[in-house]
mmCIF file of all heavy atoms in Angstrom:
data_model
loop_
_atom_site.group_PDB
_atom_site.id
_atom_site.type_symbol
_atom_site.label_atom_id
_atom_site.label_comp_id
_atom_site.label_asym_id
_atom_site.label_seq_id
_atom_site.Cartn_x
_atom_site.Cartn_y
_atom_site.Cartn_z
ATOM 1 N N ALA A 845 143.625 88.349 128.820
ATOM 2 C CA ALA A 845 144.680 89.329 128.571
ATOM 3 C C ALA A 845 145.847 88.715 127.825
ATOM 4 O O ALA A 845 146.708 89.412 127.315
ATOM 5 C CB ALA A 845 145.165 89.920 129.890
ATOM 6 N N SER A 846 145.918 87.392 127.790
ATOM 7 C CA SER A 846 147.008 86.692 127.114
ATOM 8 C C SER A 846 146.481 85.381 126.596
ATOM 9 O O SER A 846 145.389 84.965 126.962
ATOM 10 C CB SER A 846 148.166 86.455 128.095
ATOM 11 O OG SER A 846 147.715 85.679 129.197
ATOM 12 N N PRO A 847 147.229 84.679 125.739
ATOM 13 C CA PRO A 847 146.759 83.382 125.251
ATOM 14 C C PRO A 847 146.446 82.439 126.392
ATOM 15 O O PRO A 847 146.966 82.565 127.492
ATOM 16 C CB PRO A 847 147.916 82.896 124.378
ATOM 17 C CG PRO A 847 148.635 84.139 123.981
ATOM 18 C CD PRO A 847 148.503 85.092 125.125
ATOM 19 N N LEU A 848 145.600 81.450 126.085
ATOM 20 C CA LEU A 848 145.156 80.511 127.112
ATOM 21 C C LEU A 848 146.326 79.751 127.701
ATOM 22 O O LEU A 848 147.219 79.294 126.988
ATOM 23 C CB LEU A 848 144.149 79.519 126.503
ATOM 24 C CG LEU A 848 142.801 80.130 126.123
ATOM 25 C CD1 LEU A 848 141.981 79.082 125.378
ATOM 26 C CD2 LEU A 848 142.066 80.619 127.338
ATOM 27 N N SER A 849 146.269 79.631 128.999
ATOM 28 C CA SER A 849 147.320 78.874 129.675
ATOM 29 C C SER A 849 146.972 77.403 129.689
ATOM 30 O O SER A 849 145.854 77.024 129.966
ATOM 31 C CB SER A 849 147.476 79.392 131.119
ATOM 32 O OG SER A 849 148.329 78.549 131.842
ATOM 33 N N PRO A 850 147.924 76.521 129.374
ATOM 34 C CA PRO A 850 147.637 75.092 129.380
ATOM 35 C C PRO A 850 147.653 74.485 130.761
ATOM 36 O O PRO A 850 147.452 73.303 130.929
ATOM 37 C CB PRO A 850 148.766 74.524 128.515
ATOM 38 C CG PRO A 850 149.907 75.468 128.754
ATOM 39 C CD PRO A 850 149.305 76.810 128.946
ATOM 40 N N VAL A 851 147.912 75.312 131.767
ATOM 41 C CA VAL A 851 147.987 74.771 133.119
ATOM 42 C C VAL A 851 146.617 74.272 133.547
ATOM 43 O O VAL A 851 145.621 74.973 133.409
ATOM 44 C CB VAL A 851 148.482 75.855 134.104
ATOM 45 C CG1 VAL A 851 148.539 75.288 135.517
ATOM 46 C CG2 VAL A 851 149.828 76.377 133.659
ATOM 47 N N SER A 852 146.579 73.075 134.060
ATOM 48 C CA SER A 852 145.303 72.457 134.421
ATOM 49 C C SER A 852 144.653 73.222 135.558
ATOM 50 O O SER A 852 145.271 73.560 136.552
ATOM 51 C CB SER A 852 145.540 71.002 134.845
ATOM 52 O OG SER A 852 144.360 70.444 135.336
ATOM 53 N N GLY A 853 143.373 73.466 135.356
ATOM 54 C CA GLY A 853 142.576 74.054 136.413
ATOM 55 C C GLY A 853 142.752 75.536 136.592
ATOM 56 O O GLY A 853 142.240 76.111 137.537
ATOM 57 N N VAL A 854 143.481 76.229 135.704
ATOM 58 C CA VAL A 854 143.702 77.652 135.862
ATOM 59 C C VAL A 854 143.123 78.386 134.659
ATOM 60 O O VAL A 854 143.389 78.017 133.519
ATOM 61 C CB VAL A 854 145.210 77.966 135.997
ATOM 62 C CG1 VAL A 854 145.415 79.464 136.104
ATOM 63 C CG2 VAL A 854 145.777 77.267 137.223
ATOM 64 N N TRP A 855 142.329 79.451 134.908
ATOM 65 C CA TRP A 855 141.776 80.273 133.830
ATOM 66 C C TRP A 855 142.670 81.477 133.631
ATOM 67 O O TRP A 855 143.094 82.117 134.577
ATOM 68 C CB TRP A 855 140.370 80.761 134.169
ATOM 69 C CG TRP A 855 139.369 79.676 134.367
ATOM 70 C CD1 TRP A 855 138.895 79.195 135.542
ATOM 71 C CD2 TRP A 855 138.725 78.942 133.347
ATOM 72 N NE1 TRP A 855 137.997 78.215 135.332
ATOM 73 C CE2 TRP A 855 137.852 78.028 133.988
ATOM 74 C CE3 TRP A 855 138.785 78.950 131.947
ATOM 75 C CZ2 TRP A 855 137.059 77.153 133.285
ATOM 76 C CZ3 TRP A 855 137.983 78.081 131.260
ATOM 77 C CH2 TRP A 855 137.140 77.189 131.916
ATOM 78 N N SER A 856 142.954 81.819 132.379
ATOM 79 C CA SER A 856 143.679 83.045 132.081
ATOM 80 C C SER A 856 142.662 84.088 131.668
ATOM 81 O O SER A 856 142.114 84.021 130.578
ATOM 82 C CB SER A 856 144.683 82.812 130.948
ATOM 83 O OG SER A 856 145.335 84.005 130.606
ATOM 84 N N MET A 857 142.376 85.053 132.545
ATOM 85 C CA MET A 857 141.271 85.978 132.301
ATOM 86 C C MET A 857 141.693 87.415 132.547
ATOM 87 O O MET A 857 142.617 87.683 133.300
ATOM 88 C CB MET A 857 140.076 85.665 133.205
ATOM 89 C CG MET A 857 139.525 84.264 133.004
ATOM 90 S SD MET A 857 138.020 84.031 133.924
ATOM 91 C CE MET A 857 136.966 85.198 133.138
ATOM 92 N N GLY A 858 141.018 88.317 131.934
ATOM 93 C CA GLY A 858 141.300 89.739 132.079
ATOM 94 C C GLY A 858 140.479 90.381 133.170
ATOM 95 O O GLY A 858 140.167 91.557 133.108
ATOM 96 N N VAL A 859 140.069 89.634 134.175
ATOM 97 C CA VAL A 859 139.326 90.193 135.300
ATOM 98 C C VAL A 859 139.995 89.757 136.586
ATOM 99 O O VAL A 859 140.801 88.824 136.610
ATOM 100 C CB VAL A 859 137.859 89.705 135.291
ATOM 101 C CG1 VAL A 859 137.136 90.218 134.084
ATOM 102 C CG2 VAL A 859 137.784 88.188 135.353
ATOM 103 N N GLU A 860 139.680 90.416 137.680
ATOM 104 C CA GLU A 860 140.292 90.090 138.956
ATOM 105 C C GLU A 860 139.686 88.821 139.520
ATOM 106 O O GLU A 860 138.525 88.519 139.323
ATOM 107 C CB GLU A 860 140.074 91.246 139.936
ATOM 108 C CG GLU A 860 140.768 92.532 139.497
ATOM 109 C CD GLU A 860 140.521 93.638 140.495
ATOM 110 O OE1 GLU A 860 139.850 93.370 141.513
ATOM 111 O OE2 GLU A 860 141.011 94.751 140.249
ATOM 112 N N PHE A 861 140.518 88.068 140.242
ATOM 113 C CA PHE A 861 140.028 86.885 140.942
ATOM 114 C C PHE A 861 139.571 87.300 142.338
ATOM 115 O O PHE A 861 140.169 88.171 142.977
ATOM 116 C CB PHE A 861 141.130 85.839 141.062
ATOM 117 C CG PHE A 861 141.464 85.191 139.758
ATOM 118 C CD1 PHE A 861 142.369 85.778 138.880
ATOM 119 C CD2 PHE A 861 140.855 84.016 139.387
ATOM 120 C CE1 PHE A 861 142.671 85.198 137.679
ATOM 121 C CE2 PHE A 861 141.161 83.420 138.172
ATOM 122 C CZ PHE A 861 142.068 84.006 137.318
ATOM 123 N N SER A 862 138.553 86.678 142.802
ATOM 124 C CA SER A 862 138.100 86.942 144.179
ATOM 125 C C SER A 862 137.308 85.747 144.664
ATOM 126 O O SER A 862 136.859 84.921 143.883
ATOM 127 C CB SER A 862 137.256 88.220 144.247
ATOM 128 O OG SER A 862 136.080 88.048 143.504
ATOM 129 N N ASP A 863 137.111 85.694 145.927
ATOM 130 C CA ASP A 863 136.303 84.627 146.511
ATOM 131 C C ASP A 863 134.842 84.917 146.232
ATOM 132 O O ASP A 863 134.311 85.932 146.675
ATOM 133 C CB ASP A 863 136.547 84.571 148.013
ATOM 134 C CG ASP A 863 135.826 83.396 148.650
ATOM 135 O OD1 ASP A 863 135.215 82.617 147.904
ATOM 136 O OD2 ASP A 863 135.886 83.275 149.886
ATOM 137 N N THR A 864 134.197 84.035 145.502
ATOM 138 C CA THR A 864 132.805 84.282 145.102
ATOM 139 C C THR A 864 131.813 83.534 145.962
ATOM 140 O O THR A 864 130.643 83.508 145.657
ATOM 141 C CB THR A 864 132.608 83.865 143.641
ATOM 142 O OG1 THR A 864 132.928 82.495 143.497
ATOM 143 C CG2 THR A 864 133.471 84.720 142.739
ATOM 144 N N GLY A 865 132.254 82.879 147.000
ATOM 145 C CA GLY A 865 131.291 82.220 147.873
ATOM 146 C C GLY A 865 131.286 80.721 147.697
ATOM 147 O O GLY A 865 131.651 80.174 146.653
#
Side-chain angles (χ1 to χ4, degrees):
S846 59
L848 291 173
S849 171
V851 179
S852 173
V854 178
W855 298 102
S856 177
M857 300 187 64
V859 295
E860 296 180 2
F861 289 85
S862 64
D863 185 4
T864 59

